[in-house]
Tab-separated table of all heavy atoms in Angstrom:
chain	number	residue	atom	x	y	z
A	109	HIS	N	-6.007	-3.054	-14.254
A	109	HIS	CA	-5.063	-4.143	-14.522
A	109	HIS	C	-4.837	-5.003	-13.248
A	109	HIS	O	-3.943	-5.879	-13.259
A	109	HIS	CB	-3.697	-3.593	-15.006
A	109	HIS	CG	-3.765	-3.110	-16.441
A	109	HIS	ND1	-2.851	-2.188	-16.907
A	109	HIS	CD2	-4.577	-3.437	-17.433
A	109	HIS	CE1	-3.154	-1.937	-18.189
A	109	HIS	NE2	-4.193	-2.666	-18.504
A	112	LEU	N	-0.350	-6.013	-8.896
A	112	LEU	CA	0.901	-6.172	-9.532
A	112	LEU	C	1.251	-7.625	-9.762
A	112	LEU	O	1.798	-7.959	-10.770
A	112	LEU	CB	2.017	-5.423	-8.777
A	112	LEU	CG	3.419	-5.558	-9.301
A	112	LEU	CD1	3.489	-4.945	-10.718
A	112	LEU	CD2	4.415	-4.818	-8.374
A	113	ARG	N	0.879	-8.449	-8.812
A	113	ARG	CA	1.183	-9.890	-8.965
A	113	ARG	C	0.407	-10.469	-10.180
A	113	ARG	O	0.954	-11.195	-10.971
A	113	ARG	CB	0.770	-10.693	-7.704
A	113	ARG	CG	1.089	-12.177	-7.783
A	113	ARG	CD	0.927	-12.849	-6.419
A	113	ARG	NE	1.870	-12.302	-5.494
A	113	ARG	CZ	1.867	-12.661	-4.221
A	113	ARG	NH1	0.994	-13.459	-3.719
A	113	ARG	NH2	2.770	-12.144	-3.381
A	114	ASP	N	-0.861	-10.086	-10.306
A	114	ASP	CA	-1.641	-10.540	-11.474
A	114	ASP	C	-1.040	-9.977	-12.766
A	114	ASP	O	-0.978	-10.681	-13.804
A	114	ASP	CB	-3.092	-10.110	-11.346
A	114	ASP	CG	-3.828	-10.809	-10.244
A	114	ASP	OD1	-3.372	-11.895	-9.805
A	114	ASP	OD2	-4.835	-10.231	-9.701
A	115	PHE	N	-0.672	-8.688	-12.704
A	115	PHE	CA	-0.109	-8.037	-13.867
A	115	PHE	C	1.183	-8.731	-14.340
A	115	PHE	O	1.346	-8.984	-15.530
A	115	PHE	CB	0.230	-6.601	-13.481
A	115	PHE	CG	0.780	-5.737	-14.616
A	115	PHE	CD1	-0.054	-5.320	-15.668
A	115	PHE	CD2	2.099	-5.356	-14.635
A	115	PHE	CE1	0.418	-4.534	-16.704
A	115	PHE	CE2	2.568	-4.529	-15.654
A	115	PHE	CZ	1.742	-4.157	-16.675
A	116	LEU	N	1.990	-9.175	-13.401
A	116	LEU	CA	3.220	-9.873	-13.770
A	116	LEU	C	2.970	-11.296	-14.277
A	116	LEU	O	3.618	-11.767	-15.192
A	116	LEU	CB	4.158	-9.913	-12.533
A	116	LEU	CG	4.735	-8.605	-12.030
A	116	LEU	CD1	5.529	-8.829	-10.778
A	116	LEU	CD2	5.606	-7.926	-13.066
A	117	SER	N	1.994	-11.921	-13.673
A	117	SER	CA	1.695	-13.329	-14.057
A	117	SER	C	1.176	-13.458	-15.487
A	117	SER	O	1.257	-14.495	-16.112
A	117	SER	CB	0.719	-13.961	-13.103
A	117	SER	OG	-0.572	-13.296	-13.208
A	118	LYS	N	0.636	-12.332	-15.999
A	118	LYS	CA	0.087	-12.383	-17.394
A	118	LYS	C	1.125	-11.988	-18.419
A	118	LYS	O	0.784	-11.937	-19.620
A	118	LYS	CB	-1.148	-11.412	-17.470
A	118	LYS	CG	-2.316	-11.872	-16.570
A	118	LYS	CD	-3.400	-10.846	-16.553
A	118	LYS	CE	-4.542	-11.262	-15.609
A	118	LYS	NZ	-5.601	-10.246	-15.570
A	119	ARG	N	2.310	-11.690	-17.964
A	119	ARG	CA	3.371	-11.294	-18.938
A	119	ARG	C	4.500	-12.327	-18.951
A	119	ARG	O	4.972	-12.699	-17.871
A	119	ARG	CB	3.892	-9.895	-18.576
A	119	ARG	CG	2.828	-8.848	-18.495
A	119	ARG	CD	3.361	-7.442	-18.305
A	119	ARG	NE	4.213	-7.015	-19.467
A	119	ARG	CZ	4.553	-5.821	-19.702
A	119	ARG	NH1	4.095	-4.803	-18.888
A	119	ARG	NH2	5.318	-5.438	-20.698
A	120	ASN	N	4.908	-12.686	-20.115
A	120	ASN	CA	5.963	-13.679	-20.259
A	120	ASN	C	7.345	-13.073	-20.150
A	120	ASN	O	8.339	-13.683	-19.757
A	120	ASN	CB	5.895	-14.381	-21.609
A	120	ASN	CG	4.599	-15.227	-21.694
A	120	ASN	OD1	4.208	-15.831	-20.674
A	120	ASN	ND2	4.009	-15.245	-22.880
A	121	SER	N	7.459	-11.789	-20.425
A	121	SER	CA	8.756	-11.099	-20.366
A	121	SER	C	8.507	-9.595	-20.123
A	121	SER	O	7.454	-9.041	-20.382
A	121	SER	CB	9.531	-11.294	-21.699
A	121	SER	OG	8.842	-10.727	-22.786
A	122	MET	N	9.551	-8.977	-19.660
A	122	MET	CA	9.570	-7.512	-19.430
A	122	MET	C	10.979	-7.009	-19.472
A	122	MET	O	11.888	-7.574	-18.771
A	122	MET	CB	8.931	-7.239	-18.025
A	122	MET	CG	8.755	-5.737	-17.764
A	122	MET	SD	8.104	-5.477	-16.060
A	122	MET	CE	6.474	-6.273	-16.198
A	123	ASP	N	11.231	-6.035	-20.273
A	123	ASP	CA	12.592	-5.536	-20.381
A	123	ASP	C	13.021	-4.753	-19.124
A	123	ASP	O	12.184	-4.400	-18.325
A	123	ASP	CB	12.800	-4.702	-21.653
A	123	ASP	CG	11.955	-3.487	-21.728
A	123	ASP	OD1	11.615	-2.906	-20.679
A	123	ASP	OD2	11.613	-3.036	-22.802
A	126	GLU	N	11.295	-1.345	-18.364
A	126	GLU	CA	9.962	-1.427	-17.825
A	126	GLU	C	9.991	-1.812	-16.352
A	126	GLU	O	9.198	-1.273	-15.563
A	126	GLU	CB	9.137	-2.443	-18.628
A	126	GLU	CG	7.731	-2.734	-18.104
A	126	GLU	CD	6.838	-1.533	-18.208
A	126	GLU	OE1	7.225	-0.455	-18.775
A	126	GLU	OE2	5.686	-1.601	-17.746
A	127	ARG	N	10.842	-2.701	-15.988
A	127	ARG	CA	10.964	-3.042	-14.574
A	127	ARG	C	11.481	-1.906	-13.734
A	127	ARG	O	10.963	-1.716	-12.614
A	127	ARG	CB	11.875	-4.300	-14.430
A	127	ARG	CG	11.218	-5.643	-14.800
A	127	ARG	CD	12.154	-6.753	-14.666
A	127	ARG	NE	13.044	-6.895	-15.794
A	127	ARG	CZ	13.989	-7.813	-15.886
A	127	ARG	NH1	14.200	-8.681	-14.896
A	127	ARG	NH2	14.735	-7.880	-16.966
A	129	ARG	N	10.990	1.155	-14.432
A	129	ARG	CA	9.889	2.151	-14.352
A	129	ARG	C	8.875	1.783	-13.237
A	129	ARG	O	8.470	2.650	-12.481
A	129	ARG	CB	9.160	2.167	-15.702
A	129	ARG	CG	8.019	3.245	-15.810
A	129	ARG	CD	7.327	3.176	-17.136
A	129	ARG	NE	6.458	2.009	-17.228
A	129	ARG	CZ	5.247	1.960	-16.693
A	129	ARG	NH1	4.706	2.995	-16.167
A	129	ARG	NH2	4.496	0.819	-16.856
A	130	LEU	N	8.561	0.487	-13.131
A	130	LEU	CA	7.601	0.077	-12.125
A	130	LEU	C	8.204	0.228	-10.691
A	130	LEU	O	7.505	0.704	-9.832
A	130	LEU	CB	7.206	-1.379	-12.351
A	130	LEU	CG	6.366	-1.655	-13.636
A	130	LEU	CD1	6.119	-3.159	-13.782
A	130	LEU	CD2	5.073	-0.914	-13.612
A	159	VAL	N	-2.319	-1.869	-10.408
A	159	VAL	CA	-1.893	-1.326	-11.671
A	159	VAL	C	-3.060	-0.775	-12.445
A	159	VAL	O	-4.032	-1.532	-12.685
A	159	VAL	CB	-1.129	-2.341	-12.536
A	159	VAL	CG1	-0.564	-1.754	-13.770
A	159	VAL	CG2	0.049	-3.014	-11.723
A	162	GLY	N	-1.289	0.568	-16.694
A	162	GLY	CA	0.139	0.250	-16.715
A	162	GLY	C	0.929	0.999	-15.655
A	162	GLY	O	2.159	0.878	-15.613
A	213	TYR	N	9.557	-12.913	-11.816
A	213	TYR	CA	8.211	-13.293	-12.320
A	213	TYR	C	7.606	-14.438	-11.541
A	213	TYR	O	6.966	-15.344	-12.116
A	213	TYR	CB	8.288	-13.689	-13.806
A	213	TYR	CG	8.565	-12.491	-14.707
A	213	TYR	CD1	9.842	-12.238	-15.096
A	213	TYR	CD2	7.551	-11.630	-15.061
A	213	TYR	CE1	10.166	-11.148	-15.905
A	213	TYR	CE2	7.808	-10.516	-15.889
A	213	TYR	CZ	9.114	-10.309	-16.292
A	213	TYR	OH	9.375	-9.206	-17.087
Side-chain angles (χ1 to χ4, degrees):
H109 287 156
L112 179 57
R113 182 170 297 173
D114 293 337
F115 183 72
L116 294 176
S117 68
K118 295 174 183 177
R119 304 188 62 163
N120 295 323
S121 63
M122 184 184 296
D123 63 27
E126 176 66 5
R127 283 180 279 178
R129 186 183 72 85
L130 293 176
V159 183
Y213 290 95

